Each structure stands twice: as C-alpha cells, then as structure tokens.
Amino acid sequence: MASAALIIRACEPVVCCDTVWEQAYLRFESPEAERKKFRRRLQRLGAHSWLREARIVEIFCGRGNGLAALAELGFHALEGVDLSLRLLSQYEGDAKLYVADCRQLPFPDASRDLVIVQGGLHHLPCIPGDLAAVLAEVRRVLVPGGRFVIVEPWLTPFLRAVHALSRHPLVRRLSRKFAALDTMIEREQETYFNWLSMPDVILQALSGNFATERRRIAWGKLEYVGICD
Ligand SMILES: C[S@@+](CC[C@H](N)C(=O)[O-])C[C@H]1O[C@@H](n2cnc3c(N)ncnc32)[C@H](O)[C@@H]1O
C-alpha cells in the first residue's frame, strides 16, 4: 500500500537515483530483516540511554527502515532526509520526510538532538570535500552535546571476503542476497571504493568535528558516535 507519510521537497528530486541500484537495494533485505538489524545495532550504539523525546534526524534514510526501527524502540520525534523520492515514498510511518541533499540540510541551527547515518556517507561523490560539507551541516543542526551516529562500510578482512564471495558466479546464483549486493557494489563502485580507500582521512575528519564517544571497527563496518561541542 502506498505511504501516507508527509514528504517535504526541500530540493527538486534531481535525477540522482539509479533505478538498478535501488531495485537491488530493495531486494537485498526484507523490510522486517532490515528493521531487526537496525534495532539491534541502535541498541548497541547506545539507544537505550537516549531520551525518548530526542529530536532525531536520519540522513540518507532511503526507504526509512531505520526510522521504523527507531519508532519501534520508542522514539517519536523522527525525521528523515534522502535524495530519492522513490525510496522515501516506500516509507510507512509517522516521521516527517524531506527530499533534500544531505550536504545542505533543511533544518535551523542547533535544532536537533541526534543525527544518524547508516550506509549513506559512502555515496558521496567527493571525499574529503563532500564529507566535510555533511559534517559541517550535522554540526550546524545539532544542539551542543548532540550526538552524530554513523554506521558505514569499512575495509576489514571480513568485508574483503564478502566482496570476493559476491563476485563469485555460483554464490550469486545460489544467494539472492549476494547477487543483490554484487549489483549494488557494481553500480556504486566509484564512491564505494573511494570511501573504502580513505580510512585515515575519514577518521581524522570525524575526530576533527566531534568528541568521540564510541568507535568500533568490526565485521566490515565502522560504528561511530561523536558528540557535538
Ligand atoms: C545505501 S542507501 C542507505 C539507506 C538507509 N540508510 C538504509 O540503511 O537502508 C543510501 C541512500 O543515500 C541516498 N543519497 C545518496 N546521496 C545523497 C545525498 N547527497 N543526499 C541525500 N541522500 C543521498 C540514496 O538515495 C540512498 O537512499
């Protein structure tokens, strides 16, 4: 059923979005599996200690399963930002959604308590320039003491093994999930491998903008929580 979510167009939905990539992303995991993964992850990142009234923005929110997971954990002041109107339209829930570029967030200064990104920064075309732009925007909209929560791919031995498996024709034939992953990586390879090739630059940018509360690198992911001064 079509979403009744409120979607605000803060910018024109530019022709940004690759239909082949989006179809693979939608095939990769069911919404239920994705929400379960997000709930577990958010708890690990400290969600149990965040105020339930916190004003939370998920940037690069895609079809909004991260927002749904936050709602299931008891948060209700939720907003999402993504460039793809097509993906935002799949969301069913109470969060307010914005079609906008995360390098220019549609929120006033010091107006939000938490900003979350799960698998979005590696889509930025230019690192470190675009990353600096997003970090500056996140700092601008967060209140002092607000948190920036990040989960992004990271080139660990586990991720190298996943890449090798997803490229293998037999694995792709036997697993819809690996097949979808292979298509996503192929379509986003330029930004994805650019992101993976710059761990030091990225960590330096994060620690230059936020006080690190938590940093964990494992299983092909960076999990980071920074506090805004
Ligand atoms: C891998 S998806 C992640 C979606 C969601 N966070 C999740 O984990 O399911 C990346 C998303 O970033 C969006 N995106 C890419 N560049 C963007 C930008 N500059 N501003 C806003 N959204 C962007 C894409 O439309 C896509 O929905």
Side-chain angles (χ1 to χ4, degrees):
M1 174 157 165
S3 155
L6 174 60
I7 302 181
I8 296 165
R9 294 184 187 208
C11 75
E12 276 311 301
V14 280
V15 192
C16 65
C17 309
D18 174 350
T19 320
V20 175
W21 179 90
E22 285 185 2
Q23 293 305 325
Y25 160 67
L26 296 173
R27 281 197 308 276
F28 179 68
E29 255 177 343
S30 71
E32 296 72 28
E34 199 169 44
R35 286 202 299 272
K36 189 170 170 195
K37 175 182 80 182
F38 286 148
R39 280 198 308 273
R40 281 215 196 109
R41 187 188 274 174
L42 288 163
Q43 293 287 34
R44 199 168 58 237
L45 285 159
H48 54 278
S49 68
W50 304 337
L51 289 177
R52 265 32 195 179
E53 299 72 39
R55 295 158 298 177
I56 303 181
V57 180
E58 177 152 351
I59 56 174
F60 303 84
C61 68
R63 61 177 158 169
N65 281 315
L67 294 164
L70 285 159
E72 286 162 6
L73 292 174
F75 299 96
H76 47 85
L78 300 172
E79 293 164 304
V81 180
D82 200 280
L83 266 182
S84 170
L85 179 58
R86 246 189 329 252
L87 289 178
L88 290 176
S89 301
Q90 305 227 351
Y91 170 75
E92 291 177 41
D94 295 330
K96 198 187 271 186
L97 304 179
Y98 298 82
V99 180
D101 189 323
C102 292
R103 291 168 289 192
Q104 215 176 344
L105 293 175
F107 308 115
D109 297 359
S111 61
R112 302 294 187 269
D113 303 301
L114 260 145
V115 175
I116 300 177
V117 56
Q118 307 200 55
L121 298 174
H122 72 271
H123 286 257
L124 291 168
C126 174
I127 305 289
D130 288 331
L131 178 62
V134 172
L135 298 185
E137 278 295 87
V138 171
R139 273 173 64 94
R140 182 183 66 73
V141 305
L142 278 174
V143 294
R147 284 187 170 83
F148 186 30
V149 177
I150 298 174
V151 180
E152 287 291 335
W154 212 252
L155 198 53
T156 64
F158 175 79
L159 191 62
R160 286 182 204 278
V162 170
H163 288 165
L165 279 173
S166 72
R167 277 195 303 266
H168 197 288
L170 183 63
V171 174
R172 282 203 305 270
R173 245 201 334 271
L174 294 176
S175 161
R176 279 168 61 92
K177 192 163 177 167
F178 272 109
L181 179 67
D182 186 52
T183 303
M184 284 157 67
I185 293 176
E186 193 213 320
R187 304 298 291 199
E188 68 188 32
Q189 56 179 299
E190 208 173 308
T191 64
Y192 178 75
F193 288 109
N194 188 39
W195 170 267
L196 292 177
S197 71
M198 296 199 199
D200 296 340
V201 170
I202 294 163
L203 292 177
Q204 223 172 349
L206 295 179
S207 60
N209 280 279
F210 300 94
T212 302
E213 182 181 60
R214 177 193 165 83
R215 194 180 101 178
R216 176 178 185 252
I217 291 170
W219 302 109
K221 297 270 186 251
L222 166 70
E223 293 181 355
Y224 177 87
V225 181
I227 312 264
C228 191
D229 53 24

